[in-house]
Amino acid sequence: MDILSLAPILLLVVAFYFLLIRPQKNRQKKHTEMVNAVEPGTEVMTTAGIFGTVREVTDENLSLEIAPGTVIRILPAAISKVIHPSLPPMDDAE
């Protein structure tokens, strides 16, 4: 076997790494950083589309208040994104 017969296989391995594996690792790293930055009072959306405010953070789960007086426990991995408060609309009247 010569090196030219292995070239297509090596090219596929390199392509898979740069197109699939590396971007997935970057997404996973960003998600882990986001979850670690969550603290009580943060508004989040879960992977199921539930919006709520984090009330308590432990190593294994989060307490999420989804309505006044309604608190559920979720896994930190279930957080899809952090909802940043939007700025109030500016009044153009001078």
Side-chain angles (χ1 to χ4, degrees):
M1 269 175 90
D2 58 348
I3 192 74
L4 291 178
S5 63
L6 292 177
I9 295 172
L10 290 175
L11 184 63
L12 279 174
V13 170
V14 170
F16 270 112
Y17 176 76
F18 282 107
L19 295 175
L20 297 174
I21 298 170
R22 189 169 178 231
Q24 179 61 29
K25 283 185 180 182
N26 287 340
R27 280 191 297 271
Q28 186 177 7
K29 182 179 176 184
K30 286 181 183 179
H31 184 262
T32 303
E33 290 172 355
M34 177 192 63
V35 168
N36 289 338
V38 169
E39 56 188 26
T42 305
E43 288 191 46
V44 297
M45 182 181 84
T46 67
T47 55
I50 300 172
F51 290 85
T53 304
V54 176
R55 291 295 170 219
E56 183 182 358
V57 179
T58 64
D59 292 337
E60 298 174 2
N61 57 42
L62 302 170
S63 295
L64 188 67
E65 184 174 22
I66 56 174
T70 306
V71 179
I72 60 173
R73 287 184 339 186
I74 63 169
L75 295 174
I79 294 176
S80 175
K81 65 180 177 178
V82 173
I83 308 299
H84 300 288
S86 60
L87 297 174
M90 304 232 354
D91 190 16
D92 289 338
E94 294 181 9

